[in-house]
Amino acid sequence: MKKYLFLLLFSISAFAQKPWTAQWIKVPGETDYNFGVYHFRKTIELSSKPDKFVVHVSADNRYKFYVNGEMVSMGPARGDVFNWNFETFDIAPFLKSGKNVLAAQVWQLAEERPMAQITFRTGFILQGDTEKEAVVNTNNSWKGTRNEAYSVKKPEVTYVYYVVGPQETVDMNKYPVGWELMNF
């Protein structure tokens, strides 16, 4: 048991020390720190369904990550700007031979965020674990857009310490339905 725990800890620390080649991305022309909801996507083609395909993902502030229309993860776990968290998972069960679409929805709550939610600037990052998975790394090959359907309403309270997030309103007439699917 101790041997396996050591190997797990060694693997985690060894990965954490490797520089990531993926880049933090944002929608061009958008500011670093205003409320917004953003969609990112990339299509990849695989010659065969992989047995294993490990990725690491994070965002500022929050994200939902999809593969071929299936939600795989949401996060990141809360931390601070010096200890930013990311999730690691194997997306092989969601992949298929041929074309695959990876997509993320990212919320930047900025000044409207709950008190416990840390932020630095709007962004999304996805890093493949090995060279084989690097085809999915975030860079300028990813497409991104702002979702104009979302707006927030600040609470109508004064002289109160208010620590929760805002009320979100979604206008479904403006929502890009199916953005995470292949045929979008």
Side-chain angles (χ1 to χ4, degrees), residues 3-184:
K3 177 181 175 183
Y4 293 113
L5 181 58
F6 171 77
L7 289 173
L8 175 64
L9 292 174
F10 177 76
S11 299
I12 291 170
S13 66
F15 175 78
Q17 292 176 8
K18 287 192 313 190
W20 284 19
T21 55
Q23 303 162 8
W24 281 93
I25 59 172
K26 69 176 191 171
V27 172
E30 292 292 324
T31 63
D32 284 339
Y33 192 70
N34 283 326
F35 173 83
V37 178
Y38 305 94
H39 298 283
F40 298 95
R41 64 182 278 137
K42 179 175 180 148
T43 301
I44 61 168
E45 189 148 354
L46 300 173
S47 58
S48 62
K49 180 176 173 48
D51 293 328
K52 182 179 173 185
F53 203 100
V54 176
V55 297
H56 313 282
V57 63
S58 192
D60 187 346
N61 311 102
R62 308 288 297 153
Y63 75 85
K64 288 183 180 178
F65 178 63
Y66 299 81
V67 177
N68 293 324
E70 299 277 337
M71 189 170 80
V72 175
S73 173
M74 51 197 244
R78 290 187 172 140
D80 60 59
V81 294
F82 299 107
N83 299 285
W84 202 267
N85 290 310
F86 61 90
E87 281 71 39
T88 299
F89 39 87
D90 184 355
I91 62 172
F94 303 94
L95 296 171
K96 61 186 181 190
S97 177
K99 289 188 177 183
N100 293 269
V101 64
L102 285 70
Q105 184 171 15
V106 174
W107 282 261
Q108 172 52 276
L109 298 175
E111 290 295 330
E112 310 305 326
R113 72 188 188 282
M115 183 59 71
Q117 186 63 53
I118 303 302
T119 186
F120 181 65
R121 67 174 178 236
T122 304
F124 173 68
I125 191 166
L126 185 120
Q127 170 73 40
D129 192 47
T130 68
E131 260 187 64
K132 177 184 87 169
E133 292 103 348
V135 66
V136 300
N137 289 2
T138 46
N139 55 33
N140 62 4
S141 68
W142 280 71
K143 296 178 182 176
T145 189
R146 181 185 181 101
N147 186 335
E148 298 294 341
Y150 282 83
S151 61
V152 291
K153 180 180 178 185
K154 295 181 182 182
E156 297 178 19
V157 294
T158 57
Y159 304 108
V160 175
Y161 183 62
Y162 191 78
V163 298
V164 298
Q167 170 188 334
E168 287 185 5
T169 302
V170 182
D171 180 348
M172 290 308 289
N173 293 313
K174 297 178 180 178
Y175 196 91
V177 175
W179 63 271
E180 74 284 11
L181 302 173
M182 181 62 67
N183 295 330
F184 184 75

